[in-house]
Amino acid sequence: MDVESEETAHELLEKLNLIPQYGWKARFDYQPEFTCRPFTIPRLSQIRDVVSMAVRYTFNYYLRKRFLERRLPFLDPSRHVSWSPIYGVPMGGIGSGAIGRGFRGEFVRSSLIPGIYSYEPQPADQFILTLRQNGRTIYQQVLSPKSAMPSNVSGLRGWSWGFPAESAYYIGLYPRAWTVFELPQYQLLLVCQQVRSFGDTQ
């Protein structure tokens, strides 16, 4: 199919019922105009209601887990999670943990232990698109707008990073989400759809 512009591609996919007409939509190069900050200062009335529970949790569980057993507690009030406007529609549980995706195609908020999450993007968890013609690879690309391999990762040097951010966009309409990748040089539109079942929790 011939893809000449973002608007044409979008209308074509809607006409084919491959993406919804409504939903939250953002290109991979979208930059939010607001700054998120976690709630850290409770009201006096809230402190009064939870002080007895907080004391029991701190001395009966938190200190024992953190300093005696050297394990991460499920709830750690001393380490607030920094909010980032990168998350998309959650994917829910996968049997032995949970995983989520951001609106730029990355995998974020993963967990293998209930209650303990990693909120940072995981560089090794990526989709890679490979196109072959007559048994020969003509295109291979990580479907991520990151222009280079993350500095905190020692491997993955052979991967081709830097999918054009202006050629991909995200649509979130709970409990589904769609990620669309455009490759006009190959007359190709790639649509990745995720579905979250209502029985899962994240």
Side-chain angles (χ1 to χ4, degrees), residues 112-145:
L112 292 178
I113 302 175
I116 298 179
Y117 294 90
S118 172
Y119 290 88
E120 298 299 324
Q122 306 299 317
D125 297 334
Q126 303 286 344
F127 287 120
I128 298 179
L129 175 63
T130 301
L131 302 180
R132 298 182 183 274
Q133 187 176 51
N134 299 325
R136 183 173 60 91
T137 299
I138 60 174
Y139 181 86
Q140 192 169 58
Q141 178 70 49
V142 177
L143 298 181
S144 168

Side-chain angles (χ1 to χ4, degrees), residues 32-88:
E33 299 178 355
F34 55 88
T35 301
C36 297
R37 187 173 59 182
F39 173 77
T40 57
I41 304 176
R43 300 186 183 94
L44 290 177
S45 59
Q46 294 172 323
I47 295 176
R48 183 190 62 225
D49 293 337
V50 301
V51 64
S52 61
M53 178 185 65
V55 170
R56 290 196 307 271
Y57 176 80
T58 300
F59 289 98
N60 295 339
Y61 182 82
Y62 177 79
L63 295 178
R64 173 170 54 85
K65 282 286 183 182
R66 184 81 183 274
F67 298 104
L68 296 180
E69 299 181 11
R70 302 291 183 179
R71 298 179 62 184
L72 293 175
F74 292 125
L75 299 175
D76 192 346
S78 66
R79 297 183 179 182
H80 292 282
V81 176
S82 58
W83 292 358
S84 299
I86 61 174
Y87 305 109

